[in-house]
C-alpha cells in the first residue's frame, strides 16, 4: 500500500484494479491462480505425504468449485458456528509458541502445540497429533497447506509469521467472526439467480457462479484501507476492449497534482492527455499545478498495454464510479495483501471471465474476443442479458464443501479487534 510521489511509480496514482489476459478453459486455468486451487493441485499430485488421503479420513479438502456465496452459504456457516461453539466450550486451542520458520523435516518443541492446534481446527487428522511429536513431517505440512488456503495465506506448507499469526487468533474471535458474517449472509444469499458474479473484498477474490458452481475463480486486487472498495449490488452490462481511462477527480486531486509538481513530464511519459471543458486538448505546461486548476480538466489515458485498465474493462451501473478491469501491474496478484487500488477491482485472468460473461451475447466467441483485444481498437460490447454482480464484505464463511474460511478484516468492519495478519514475504 505504498504511495510514491516521486518517479514514475504507477502505483502512486494509476494503482486502480486488476486482471491478466490469459485465455484458456474458463473452468480450468482460471482456478490455478487461487490458493484453494493450488492446494487441490497439490493433493492430486500427491504432495500431502504418503497415503495422506487414506490416513486422514476426518480431514476434508476444499473443493475449488464450491462458491463462496450461494443459497447454502448461510446454512453451512451456521453449522460452522455450532462447531466453533464446541471448540470454545472445550477451552479453544493452544497458542503456538513463536518460531521464525518451520518446514518439513525440521524438529522443534513448538510442533507439539502446532499439531494440537491444527487438529482442533480440523486441519490435521487427530491420529497424527501424537505421531512424530515434535517433527514437522509431511502430515503437518499438509495440514499447514490446508490452513493457509482457508485463511488466504500463500500456500507453501511453510510456517512463517503470517501463518503463525493466523494460527494464534483465539477460537472465540473466530467464532464471533462467523457470527458477525451471518448477519451479512442473510441479506446476500437470497434471490441470487442461476448466473452471477461475486467479488469478496476481504478475500480479494472474484467468482463466476453458474447453477451453484464456481465455474471461474480469479485472484483480485481491491481498494486500499483509505480508499475502500464499496459494497455493490448491480448488473454487468458492458465490456470494453482496449479502453481509455478517464482519471477520477479524486485521484487528480490526491495523486496527480502532487506527482506533476515533482515530475512535469509524467503525463506525457504515461500517454495521458488533457482536455478542457470544450474538449480541446491542452498541454501540461498550460496548467498551474500548484493550484486547484487541474480538477477542472479531463485527463484521459490512451489505450494500450501501458493503460491503467489494461486491455479490458467490465462496466456496471453504480453510484461509486468503480469498475472491474485488467491491469499492467500483474505482479500485485502474487501478494497475500492485495489491497492496493483506489476502489476498483483488478481481475487476474480477466479475459477468461469475459469469455464467460459474453457466452449469451451473439457473435462473441473466444476467438472474436481475442481478435478484439489484439486489434488495439476500442470496442464496446453490450451484454445481451446483464449478469447480476455482488461486491460483498465477508470475512468468515463456510461453503457447500463444509470447509470454514477466514480473511483479515481489512477495513475493520467486524468490530472484534482481531490482530492484523502480516503479509508473507515471497521468495
Amino acid at each position: 500500500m505504498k504511495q510514491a510521489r516521486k518517479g514514475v511509480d504507477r502505483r502512486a496514482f494509476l494503482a486502480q484494479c486488476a486482471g491478466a489476459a490469459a485465455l484458456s478453459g474458463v473452468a480450468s486455468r482460471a482456478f490455478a491462480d487461487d490458493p484453494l486451487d493450488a492446494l487441490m493441485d497439490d493433493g492430486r499430485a500427491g504432495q500431502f505425504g504418503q497415503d495422506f488421503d487414506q490416513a486422514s479420513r476426518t480431514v476434508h479438502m476444499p473443493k475449488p468449485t464450491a462458491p463462496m456465496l450461494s443459497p447454502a452459504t448461510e446454512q453451512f456457516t451456521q453449522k460452522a458456528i455450532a462447531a466453533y461453539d464446541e471448540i470454545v466450550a472445550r477451552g479453544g486451542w493452544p497458542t503456538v509458541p513463536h518460531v521464525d520458520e518451520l518446514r518439513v523435516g525440521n524438529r522443534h518443541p513448538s510442533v507439539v502445540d502446532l499439531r494440537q492446534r491444527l487438529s482442533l481446527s480440523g486441519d490435521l487428522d487427530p491420529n497424527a497429533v501424537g505421531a512424530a511429536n515434535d517433527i514437522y513431517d509431511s502430515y503437518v505440512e499438509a495440514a499447514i497447506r490446508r490452513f493457509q488456503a482457508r485463511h488466504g495465506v500463500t500456500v507453501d506448507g511453510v510456517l512463517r509469521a503470517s501463518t503463525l499469526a493466523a494460527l494464534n487468533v483465539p477460537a472465540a474471535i473466530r467464532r464471533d467472526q462467523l457470527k458477525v458474517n451471518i448477519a451479512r449472509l442473510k441479506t446476500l444469499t437470497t434471490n441470487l439467480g442461476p448466473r452471477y458474479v461475486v467479488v469478496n473484498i476481504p478475500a480479494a477474490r472474484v467468482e463466476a457462479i453458474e447453477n451453484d458452481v464456481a465455474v471461474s475463480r480469479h485472484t483480485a486486487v481491491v481498494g486500499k484501507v483509505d480508499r475502500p472498495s464499496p459494497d455493490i449490488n448491480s448488473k454487468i452490462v458492458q465490456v470494453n476492449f482496449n479502453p481509455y481511462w478517464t482519471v477520477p477527480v479524486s485521484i487528480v486531486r490526491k495523486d496527480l497534482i502532487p506527482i506533476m509538481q515533482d515530475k512535469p513530464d509524467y503525463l506525457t511519459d504515461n500517454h495521458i492527455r488533457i482536455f478542457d471543458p470544450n474538449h480541446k486538448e491542452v498541454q501540461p505546461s498550460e496548467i498551474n499545478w500548484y493550484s486547484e486548476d487541474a480538477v477542472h480538466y479531463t485527463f484521459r489515458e490512451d489505450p494500450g498495454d501501458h493503460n491503467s485498465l489494461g486491455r479490458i474493462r467490465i462496466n456496471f451501473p453504480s453510484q461509486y464510479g468503480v469498475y472491474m478491469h485488467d491491469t499492467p501491474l500483474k505482479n500485485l496478484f502474487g501478494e497475500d495483501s492485495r489491497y492496493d487500488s483506489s476502489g476498483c477491482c483488478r481481475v487476474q485472468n480477466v479475459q477468461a471471465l469475459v469469455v464467460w460473461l459474453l457466452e449469451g451475447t451473439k457473435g462473441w466467441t473466444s476467438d472474436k474476443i481475442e481478435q478484439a483485444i489484439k486489434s488495439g481498437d476500442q470496442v464496446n460490447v453490450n451484454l445481451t442479458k446483464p449478469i447480476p454482480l455482488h461486491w460483498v464484505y465477508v470475512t468468515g464463511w463456510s461453503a457447500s464443501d463444509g470447509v470454514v474460511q477466514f480473511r483479515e478484516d481489512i477495513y475493520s468492519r467486524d468490530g472484534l479487534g482481531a490482530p492484523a495478519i502480516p503479509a508473507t514475504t515471497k521468495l
Side-chain angles (χ1 to χ4, degrees):
M1 301 182 192
K2 299 177 181 177
Q3 185 171 339
R5 284 191 171 186
K6 297 183 179 180
V8 193
D9 182 1
R10 297 181 69 80
R11 293 173 69 174
F13 101 95
L14 299 179
Q16 275 230 342
C17 317
L23 176 61
S24 58
V26 173
S28 55
R29 279 188 58 185
F31 284 134
D33 302 320
D34 187 89
L36 285 175
D37 309 318
L39 180 65
M40 294 297 293
D41 289 341
D42 285 343
R44 286 188 288 268
Q47 299 300 314
F48 291 128
Q50 186 177 5
D51 299 325
F52 179 81
D53 289 335
Q54 287 74 21
S56 302
R57 299 297 184 187
T58 63
V59 178
H60 302 288
M61 294 302 165
K63 293 182 180 179
T65 55
M68 172 259 143
L69 189 66
S70 76
T73 304
E74 181 193 350
Q75 174 187 351
F76 281 100
T77 304
Q78 289 283 15
K79 290 182 179 179
I81 291 173
Y84 273 68
D85 275 336
E86 292 183 8
I87 294 173
V88 172
R90 293 195 301 265
W93 45 59
T95 298
V96 180
H98 173 76
V99 60
D100 290 334
E101 183 177 296
L102 286 175
R103 59 180 68 229
V104 68
N106 292 160
R107 173 168 250 156
H108 194 277
S110 293
V111 177
V112 177
D113 292 309
L114 177 61
R115 287 178 180 274
Q116 186 180 1
R117 165 66 181 85
L118 292 169
S119 175
L120 287 170
S121 59
D123 296 293
L124 178 66
D125 191 287
N127 294 325
V129 174
N133 211 358
D134 64 348
I135 298 176
Y136 197 100
D137 59 17
S138 61
Y139 289 93
V140 174
E141 183 193 40
I144 285 292
R145 285 175 177 270
R146 183 182 191 271
F147 179 89
Q148 289 170 331
R150 294 196 304 110
H151 292 77
V153 180
T154 297
V155 179
D156 58 7
V158 178
L159 181 64
R160 296 191 183 92
S162 55
T163 302
L164 185 63
L167 283 164
N168 285 334
V169 174
I173 287 182
R174 290 305 192 197
R175 186 268 318 274
D176 293 345
Q177 194 173 353
L178 291 171
K179 289 183 175 180
V180 166
N181 283 279
I182 276 291
R184 296 169 181 157
L185 291 170
K186 284 181 178 178
T187 64
L188 294 172
T189 54
T190 57
N191 302 318
L192 287 171
R195 217 164 178 260
Y196 54 97
V197 174
V198 173
V199 177
N200 188 6
I201 298 167
R205 188 168 75 184
V206 179
E207 290 181 350
I209 300 167
E210 189 166 357
N211 297 323
D212 297 333
V213 173
V215 298
S216 184
R217 179 182 285 140
H218 307 260
T219 300
V221 176
V222 295
K224 302 175 183 179
V225 173
D226 60 342
R227 302 183 192 185
S229 295
D231 291 8
I232 290 175
N233 285 299
S234 186
K235 289 187 177 182
I236 295 172
V237 297
Q238 187 184 64
V239 175
N240 307 133
F241 298 108
N242 303 305
Y244 289 94
W245 178 47
T246 301
V247 185
V249 173
S250 60
I251 293 180
V252 172
R253 182 176 284 112
K254 293 178 182 178
D255 300 315
L256 184 56
I257 291 176
I259 288 174
M260 289 301 292
Q261 290 171 1
D262 287 339
K263 189 173 181 60
D265 295 330
Y266 185 84
L267 293 178
T268 303
D269 292 343
N270 288 280
H271 312 279
I272 298 174
R273 302 176 186 274
I274 311 170
F275 299 89
D276 66 16
N278 296 318
H279 309 291
K280 179 183 177 182
E281 186 170 357
V282 300
Q283 298 303 311
S285 58
E286 299 178 50
I287 296 176
N288 181 1
W289 296 104
Y290 291 89
S291 70
E292 285 282 299
D293 287 355
V295 300
H296 303 300
Y297 293 86
T298 297
F299 296 83
R300 193 180 72 181
E301 186 178 22
D302 292 335
D305 291 330
H306 58 270
N307 188 282
S308 299
L309 305 180
R311 292 290 187 175
I312 296 174
R313 177 174 64 192
I314 298 172
N315 291 332
F316 47 88
S318 87
Q319 67 188 82
Y320 303 102
V322 295
Y323 25 79
M324 301 164 69
H325 62 80
D326 186 16
T327 181
L329 302 174
K330 305 294 194 288
N331 60 299
L332 296 180
F333 295 120
E335 300 181 5
D336 281 344
S337 183
R338 299 187 301 277
Y339 312 102
D340 199 67
S341 83
S342 292
C344 288
C345 174
R346 307 175 193 175
V347 185
Q348 189 172 31
N349 198 14
V350 67
Q351 190 172 333
L353 177 60
V354 167
V355 170
W356 181 82
L357 291 173
L358 295 180
E359 280 181 3
T361 301
K362 187 176 180 179
W364 284 95
T365 62
S366 58
D367 288 341
K368 180 71 175 294
I369 291 169
E370 184 75 19
Q371 291 171 10
I373 294 170
K374 288 182 177 179
S375 73
D377 298 328
Q378 185 178 23
V379 180
N380 301 324
V381 183
N382 295 323
L383 275 65
T384 300
K385 186 176 182 180
I387 295 179
L389 172 68
H390 308 281
W391 287 23
V392 303
Y393 194 88
V394 178
T395 60
W397 73 94
S398 179
S400 57
D401 57 6
V403 177
V404 185
Q405 297 198 45
F406 297 99
R407 296 296 186 272
E408 184 181 354
D409 179 21
I410 186 66
Y411 299 157
S412 301
R413 290 171 55 176
D414 288 354
L416 301 176
I421 306 301
T424 296
T425 301
K426 297 183 72 67
L427 301 178

